[in-house]
Amino acid sequence: MDLTKAIELTRQAMIQSIYSKGLTDVETLKLSQELDKLIVESQRLKRDAKKLDPFEVICK
């Protein structure tokens, strides 16, 4: 599963948990932490991909 899909599925699960169990439920908090990790990883990968973009280096 790609990272974008994992983020979306985790986000949906977190929203459902919020509605069914509340913002402070342990499961909701765990899903929130997992979503944060996935988003940070996605941002890191995008940043790293930009650093390796050969067209960006050539154009400078």
Side-chain angles (χ1 to χ4, degrees), residues 1-53:
M1 174 183 343
D2 72 338
L3 206 47
T4 304
K5 185 69 174 173
I7 289 170
E8 182 58 28
L9 291 174
T10 304
R11 181 182 143 305
Q12 289 175 3
M14 189 182 83
I15 290 169
Q16 287 300 320
S17 183
I18 289 168
Y19 285 131
S20 64
K21 299 176 182 175
L23 284 170
T24 58
D25 182 73
V26 173
E27 182 180 340
T28 302
L29 296 174
K30 285 181 182 179
L31 288 166
S32 178
Q33 289 175 339
E34 180 63 25
L35 183 59
D36 288 345
K37 289 177 189 176
L38 290 170
I39 291 170
V40 167
E41 179 66 12
S42 174
Q43 290 172 341
R44 185 190 64 77
L45 288 172
K46 287 178 185 175
R47 185 179 61 243
D48 289 350
K50 262 189 158 180
K51 287 179 184 177
L52 299 175
D53 185 358

